Amino acid sequence: MTDIGADPELTRRRLNQAAEVMRAKERPGSLLVFEDLLDGDARTALPIIAGQAGLELSSSGVGMAGDLLPITEPAHPDLTFVRVSTGAHVEAYADLNARAHGFPEEAARAGFTGSALWTSEIRAYLGLRDGVPVTCAGTVEADGRLFVVAVATDPAWQRRGYAEAVTRKALYEGGEATGLTRATLHATAAGAPVYTRIGFKPNSPIGFYSLKG
């Protein structure tokens, strides 16, 4: 949610509305709160207001952006890159996100396979090691920039530069296709250093909120 209001009362109303929507869904997902959009009072009161709405902070991250395109076509000695173009590719992409981010595989598959965007508007890529998908990233055009989506690496293959390589691949292909020069993303605290190495700079802190219980 990118516009929850600056003052505490408006923030309270927006969070209550968001929580109602989340409770009505079979899979409620997470609410993203960009803290720099709040004034001082609302930001200070956010934990209390969120709790009253039935929400709790599940993790923290940061918004990042950079005028970093075009970039050179990336390569990694361990990986072969394949664009997501089939149902099997989408399932592999979903499974990687489930394993990397700790949510049920069936929920991930339901969310990813239910949208045709992954094989059309989103330039999503798998990084294969010996033919097996181990990492993934995508980019999509949004408001005159490339937005990086759903970056994940299998926990068994992390800390080998795979996430950086596949993110660079998605950025390279997205930039080549659109001519855009600016890119943005929402990073977890763990993922932020990867994107810093690519050239992204942090802007607003983000709170990821889920329903209590």
Side-chain angles (χ1 to χ4, degrees):
M1 180 175 287
T2 58
D3 178 16
I4 65 172
D7 66 85
E9 185 52 39
L10 182 53
T11 299
R12 186 188 312 278
R13 293 200 301 270
R14 294 291 179 84
L15 289 179
N16 281 326
Q17 291 168 358
E20 289 178 8
V21 171
M22 294 168 72
R23 279 190 285 268
K25 293 181 176 295
E26 182 180 354
R27 298 183 177 89
S30 297
L31 173 70
L32 277 63
V33 177
F34 292 79
E35 296 179 9
D36 281 356
L37 297 178
L38 306 177
D39 69 15
D41 290 340
R43 191 166 179 171
T44 300
L46 180 59
I48 296 174
I49 295 172
Q52 292 170 341
L55 299 167
E56 59 185 1
L57 183 68
S58 56
S59 61
S60 299
V62 64
M64 304 186 80
D67 296 304
L68 46 84
L69 298 169
I71 61 174
T72 57
E73 185 169 9
H76 192 289
D78 295 350
L79 302 177
T80 300
F81 299 116
V82 176
R83 183 168 180 181
V84 172
S85 60
T86 69
H89 288 161
V90 176
E91 287 186 357
Y93 201 110
D95 292 349
L96 284 168
N97 273 269
R99 291 196 293 272
H101 301 300
F103 47 82
E105 186 175 285
E106 62 273 16
R109 287 196 175 193
F112 281 80
T113 61
S115 173
L117 293 177
W118 294 100
T119 56
S120 57
E121 294 183 32
I122 299 173
R123 290 174 177 82
Y125 286 84
L126 296 169
L128 310 182
R129 180 188 170 104
D130 297 327
V132 178
V134 294
T135 190
C136 61
T139 56
V140 63
E141 184 174 355
D143 296 327
R145 65 205 67 189
L146 286 180
F147 184 65
V148 178
V149 295
V151 179
T153 299
D154 188 310
W157 296 104
Q158 291 177 354
R159 301 187 183 279
R160 290 173 169 82
Y162 292 175
E164 179 178 346
V166 76
T167 300
R168 286 181 179 274
K169 175 64 174 177
L171 285 166
Y172 170 79
E173 296 293 348
E176 288 288 295
T178 65
L180 296 173
T181 60
R182 186 166 181 80
T184 61
L185 56 83
H186 303 154
T188 62
V194 173
Y195 308 120
T196 300
R197 289 195 294 271
I198 295 173
F200 286 92
K201 298 184 183 303
N203 43 56
S204 176
I206 302 173
F208 296 83
Y209 287 81
S210 57
L211 293 175
K212 287 184 177 179

